[in-house]
Amino acid sequence: ETGVTQTPRHLVMGMTNKKSLKCEQHLGHNAMYWYKQSAKKPLELMFVYSLEERVENNSVPSRFSPECPNSSHLFLHLHTLQPEDSALYLCASSQNPGLAGRTDTQYFGPGTRLTVL
Amino acid sequence: GNSVTQMEGPVTLSEEAFLTINCTYTATGYPSLFWYVQYPGEGLQLLLKATKADDKGSNKGFEATYRKETTSFHLEKGSVQVSDSAVYFCALSPSKEYTGRRALTFGSGTRLQVQP
């Protein structure tokens, strides 16, 4: 499945570094999502963008900063992370029918495995 | 709010055994229900879905039936293979009448290990 791509696939960074994760969807969708998957914890929704507008911020620390320049691209900017931020970061996209509409099927990218030293 | 509860794993089976992974949910109205699968080192892939009561989703020999009366969406497969070893996630998305959180709510995942 190449509908949603993520780069890099693996990233190791120090706590003082600044890095960015990139997600690109080729499905013509209008909504994009960031999830965090930590060991032994359920998937945690971080951010939701619909029509390039952030519509959900699920109490995520400010050291994570999302950016959605257009409906096909989503970034997650990282700075001064902590070791507990080490996780698999998953991007997803869907065709959202509207503010009060049913959320449609989400398609996921392969994820970026982040390790914070 | 919405929630999804899955049976804890790991589930260990021999090849060709019958598989059931239980999933129950709590939600307002009539959500859509999904099963996603995550193979080692990969992201989540949609396995099957059902959008209304009594619908049966099926794919690659897996099936799940949307049971409104028991608020369940159990995953089944008649004969598992080693290649089915993965983590399986049950999820729901809110019904169109629900104007709150619109993203998917996931269960904690169930790891399946199939031995030759």
Side-chain angles (χ1 to χ4, degrees), chain A residues 9 33 35 37 42-43 45 48 50 55-56 58 88 90 96 98-110, chain B residues 30-32 34 36 38 41-44 46 49 51 89 93-99 101-104 106-108:
Chain A
R9 294 293 308 274
Y33 310 77
Y35 288 87
Q37 186 178 30
L43 267 77
L45 177 68
V48 180
S50 181
V55 296
E56 277 195 53
N58 204 27
L88 181 67
L90 292 166
N96 194 328
L99 286 177
R102 181 191 300 270
T103 302
D104 209 339
T105 304
Q106 292 184 23
Y107 295 87
F108 285 78
Chain B
Y30 298 88
S32 293
F34 304 82
Y36 283 85
Q38 186 176 31
E42 299 184 14
L44 274 68
L46 177 66
K49 70 176 183 180
T51 58
F89 293 90
S93 72
S95 63
K96 62 182 178 181
E97 296 80 15
Y98 181 66
T99 57
R101 184 183 184 189
R102 296 170 291 112
L104 289 174
F106 282 89
S108 56

Side-chain angles (χ1 to χ4, degrees), chain A residues 4-76:
Chain A
V4 180
T5 58
Q6 290 185 242
T7 54
R9 294 293 308 274
H10 300 272
L11 178 62
V12 179
M13 58 187 290
M15 289 189 286
T16 58
N17 291 156
K18 290 184 180 181
K19 297 287 184 182
S20 295
L21 310 185
K22 179 183 177 182
C23 176
E24 184 173 359
Q25 60 96 1
H26 311 274
L27 301 170
H29 290 161
N30 61 7
M32 298 186 77
Y33 310 77
W34 279 118
Y35 288 87
K36 176 183 178 183
Q37 186 178 30
S38 305
K40 300 180 181 179
K41 290 179 70 175
L43 267 77
E44 300 173 64
L45 177 68
M46 300 177 72
F47 302 103
V48 180
Y49 277 82
S50 181
L51 300 171
E52 302 158 37
E53 178 184 354
R54 190 189 310 178
V55 296
E56 277 195 53
N57 179 342
N58 204 27
S59 302
V60 179
S62 59
R63 56 186 184 270
F64 295 91
S65 175
E67 178 189 1
C68 188
N70 56 62
S71 60
S72 298
H73 293 87
L74 183 65
F75 295 89
L76 187 63

